[in-house]
Amino acid sequence: MKPTLINLPKIVDPRGNLSFFENSHQVPFQIERTYWIYDVPGGEKRGSHAFKEQQEFIIALSGSFDVILHDGIEEQCFTLNRSYYGLYVPKMCWRRLDNFSTNSLALIVSDRMYSENDYIRDFEEFKKFKNEE
Ligand code: TYD
């Protein structure tokens, strides 16, 4: 499956809207881990790595930021700025989070526990891995 924006249910209510996702339903994998990125100082970037196996689903719960993906050949930029959709990021996709707005909150769910061994942190090494696929 390619990188895809996935719309989430939105229960519109005058008291405040509500959205959700459930294991394997809206998100195309079994969720194993949730983490979030917050208090990002202006001009900072996060990420700049790929995962050998891990898949992710990224949502801007608050504010906005860009997710820039590179498949080894070309770059694609997704701006996330609503909490009722998110971006599915498959494994072996170089990804960077950039242009965080003030007080933005990035929620990330993944199908794996944290493992440093799953990271590819060198772009040249990533491209080499891609060519071997
Ligand atoms: P990392 O994924 O490298 O963040 P970024 O690519 O945005 O810099 O994570 C930063 C550090 O946080 C990493 O060295 C280890 C730790 N970490 C965990 O312990 N568990 C986790 O689930 C994550 C995502 C990171």
Side-chain angles (χ1 to χ4, degrees):
M1 193 173 156
K2 284 187 181 159
T4 318
L5 286 172
I6 298 176
N7 278 313
L8 299 172
K10 183 178 180 188
I11 317 292
V12 177
D13 192 307
R15 299 170 301 160
N17 301 332
L18 182 153
S19 288
F20 64 89
F21 54 85
E22 292 175 324
N23 235 353
S24 305
H25 290 162
Q26 292 80 14
V27 179
F29 52 77
Q30 283 279 338
I31 298 164
E32 224 18 86
R33 181 164 50 109
T34 306
Y35 63 97
W36 48 100
I37 296 173
Y38 54 100
D39 290 348
V40 179
E44 278 296 349
K45 300 179 199 325
R46 297 292 316 225
S48 289
H49 50 64
F51 297 109
K52 292 175 202 158
E53 295 298 335
Q54 184 180 295
Q55 310 168 65
E56 295 184 321
F57 181 62
I58 305 176
I59 306 166
L61 275 191
S62 178
S64 67
F65 52 85
D66 293 337
V67 184
I68 297 113
L69 302 181
H70 203 300
D71 63 5
I73 298 165
E74 56 182 11
E75 201 169 78
Q76 235 184 326
C77 178
F78 296 88
T79 299
L80 300 184
N81 55 13
R82 292 286 183 270
S83 58
Y84 53 79
Y85 67 81
L87 177 66
Y88 167 73
V89 182
K91 67 176 186 174
M92 284 305 284
C93 213
W94 188 265
R95 71 123 168 102
R96 181 173 96 237
L97 273 56
D98 203 348
N99 294 322
F100 288 89
S101 69
T102 308
N103 288 333
S104 54
L105 172 58
L107 181 76
I108 299 145
V109 295
S110 85
D111 67 337
R112 264 149 226 270
M113 303 288 269
Y114 172 76
S115 165
E116 185 56 38
N117 290 335
D118 197 45
Y119 281 71
I120 305 172
R121 293 191 183 272
D122 181 86
F123 190 62
E124 292 309 312
E125 192 190 342
F126 166 70
K127 283 200 287 189
K128 224 175 84 194
F129 265 94
K130 278 304 256 190
N131 286 336
E132 287 164 8
E133 267 186 336

